[in-house]
């Protein structure tokens, strides 16, 4: 079918496949980690890792991402598995929000891109932690944590660690989760591709009249472009002459937490109501922190 | 334990899907098509994922065909909708191959073709030390312009660059942009860079997406309200689309 399709459709196919193929290794790694947790790590061990007290659990969750240097897509099956193993949904949410940036690969990549603006690197890490902690703490006060979780037909709520280890059950778990994540990723990639193909980037740039509008424009751009945190610093860098540093910071903080791809994946973990609050909170906190940084620091 | 037919069928389909997708990833790696989709630094992960999926799909298929090894979990193997979505994606990918991004995407994504300072900052010191200007690639010229924007210092320098023709409505008819895309992650973030080229429309015509290698000399001109360096075209030749059409370092 080469050469038959209109150029714009052919480009859309290339962009769509680029998103899916790029994310595949990280999703595979995430579901393998999730399956390892399911089959080889008991609930007791998991719950010991996360302190029972509210602040301790959230603090540990925000730092666990440094052990899993995967793209944010890979963290979603891990977060879901943690919840199934008894971790509080708010704690898992903190992990999900912080892990994409609290990751040695991402921090190093940000440093390489912005070595001439080290404050930006520090603020990216700091603001990510503040937002992850704040959202986690707020959600931890929910009177009925089960209402935060999405309920689906995946049916392995009663899965426990199996002794002796059954290798094919392990493979089945990976296959099941991988197909679920891949299907969701495909939908997210399709949406991101469609929006990118029809929305000229100049419109986003023209939105950046004031600093606040620039921050919102770059956050919107991060939401649409849906790329992994380990390379987004170089994308932000290409706009360094067009947008203020605070807007670039908004892109770097908001993108790894909330984008089209992530939203389609997270809806497998958290309920629709919870997701709306997560998006609103993360958006508000990102704007607040980056605008404050603009006034006092950048 | 006897498995109900629908669940076993769904698991079989899952295994087949993983085998197909793993095979597809390995195919695009060895055929070079992966370079159209993602940054070269990530290509090896595509191969590893492909091999892993082949292994997992094959092992799952074998387990299902030898019933006594099958471990029923009672867990739902995934909805038919998910399998349908993935099936459509994989079958679509097998028939519609990726291709270099075109001028359609370049025009949607351009935000000032010489504004890219992203990857360019690391390359600019290298570009300066390329004594023979004809050895500088398109990205190296754009890097230099970003570091030293004064166009008059490039006047008379010889250029030999390759890329695709991009005709922009904002430019006069005797100009086109010699362009390439650069990307950091994957085709989703690809954005165009380029240099304006002046030519004589009475002697040559160019079409969008035409891949050429051109030679010329730099001069200073005013385009779209800005004073910029441009290339006066001396000669060109059509070239095949490169296996890796991106201008990454």
């Amino acid at each position: 079918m080469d050469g038959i399709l209109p150029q714009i459709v052919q480009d859309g196919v290339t962009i769509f496949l680029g998103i899916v193929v790029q994310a595949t290794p990280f999703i595979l790694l995430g579901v393998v980690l999730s399956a390892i947790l399911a089959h080889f790590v008991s609930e007791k061990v998991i719950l010991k890792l996360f302190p029972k007290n509210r602040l301790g659990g959230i603090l540990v969750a925000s730092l666990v991402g440094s052990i899993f240097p995967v793209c944010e897509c890979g963290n979603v099956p891990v977060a879901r598995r943690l919840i199934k193993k008894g971790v509080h949904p708010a704690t898992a949410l903190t992990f999900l929000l912080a892990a994409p940036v609290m990751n040695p690969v991402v921090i190093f990549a940000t440093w390489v891109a912005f070595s001439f603006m080290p404050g930006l690197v520090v603020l990216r890490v700091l603001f990510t932690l503040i937002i992850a902690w704040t959202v986690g703490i707020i959600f931890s006060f929910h009177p009925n944590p089960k209402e935060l979780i999405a309920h689906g037909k995946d049916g392995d709520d009663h899965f426990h660690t199996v002794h002796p280890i059954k290798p094919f059950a392990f493979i089945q778990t990976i296959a099941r989760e991988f197909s679920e994540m891949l299907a969701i990723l495909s939908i997210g990639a399709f949406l991101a591709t469609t929006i990118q193909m029809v929305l000229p980037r100049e419109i986003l740039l023209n939105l950046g009249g004031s600093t606040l509008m620039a921050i919102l424009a770059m956050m919107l751009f991060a939401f649409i472009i849906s790329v992994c945190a380990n390379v987004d610093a170089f994308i932000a860098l290409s706009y360094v002459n067009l947008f203020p540093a605070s807007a670039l910071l908004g892109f770097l903080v908001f993108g790894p937490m909330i984008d089209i791809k992530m939203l389609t994946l997270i809806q497998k973990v958290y309920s629709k109501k919870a997701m709306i609050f997560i998006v609103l909170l993360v958006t508000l906190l990102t704007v607040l922190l980056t605008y404050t940084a603009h006034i006092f620091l950048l | 334990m006897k498995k109900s037919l629908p669940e076993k069928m769904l698991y079989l389909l899952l295994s087949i899907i993983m085998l197909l997708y793993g095979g597809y990833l390995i195919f695009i790696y060895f055929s070079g098509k992966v370079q159209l989709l993602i940054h070269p630094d990530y290509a090896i992960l595509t191969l590893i994922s492909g091999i892993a999926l082949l292994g997992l799909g094959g092992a799952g298929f074998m387990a299902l065909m030898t019933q006594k090894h099958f471990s029923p979990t009672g867990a739902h193997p995934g909805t038919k909708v998910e399998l349908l979505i993935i099936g459509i994606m994989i079958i679509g990918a097998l028939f519609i191959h990726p291709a270099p991004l075109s001028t359609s995407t370049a025009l949607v994504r351009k935000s000032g073709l010489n504004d890219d300072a992203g990857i360019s900052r690391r390359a600019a010191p290298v570009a300066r030390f390329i004594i023979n200007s004809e050895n500088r690639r398109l990205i190296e010229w754009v890097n230099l312009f970003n570091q030293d924007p004064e166009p008059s210092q490039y006047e008379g320098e010889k250029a030999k660059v390759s890329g695709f023709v991009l005709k922009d409505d904002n430019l006069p008819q005797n100009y086109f942009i010699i362009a390439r895309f650069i990307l950091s992650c994957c085709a989703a973030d690809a954005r165009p860079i380029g240099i304006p080229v002046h030519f004589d429309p009475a002697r040559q015509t160019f079409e969008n997406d035409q891949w050429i290698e051109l030679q010329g000399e730099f001069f200073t001109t005013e385009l779209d309200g800005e004073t910029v360096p441009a290339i006066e075209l001396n000669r060109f030749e059509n070239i095949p689309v490169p296996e890796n059409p991106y201008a990454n370092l």
Side-chain angles (χ1 to χ4, degrees), chain B residues 23-41:
Chain B
Y24 175 75
L25 293 178
I26 292 172
F27 165 70
I28 61 171
Y29 179 84
F30 284 112
S31 67
K33 290 205 181 287
V34 70
Q35 294 183 89
L36 297 171
L37 300 176
I38 62 177
H39 194 281
D41 288 352

Side-chain angles (χ1 to χ4, degrees), chain A residues 10-11 24 153 176 196 231, chain B residues 21 42 76 102 105 109 188:
Chain A
Q10 176 65 69
D11 285 1
T24 293
K153 281 207 292 189
R176 198 169 64 246
Q196 285 187 40
V231 290
Chain B
Y21 189 41
Y42 294 101
H76 203 284
S102 72
T105 299
R109 291 191 178 185

Side-chain angles (χ1 to χ4, degrees), chain A residues 235-264:
Chain A
I235 297 165
L237 186 59
S238 64
Y239 292 94
V240 73
N241 293 331
L242 299 168
F243 284 102
S246 53
L248 303 180
L249 189 56
F251 177 93
L252 293 171
V253 169
F254 188 73
M257 293 186 187
I258 306 287
D259 60 31
I260 295 176
K261 197 173 60 179
M262 273 301 276
L263 277 188
T264 51

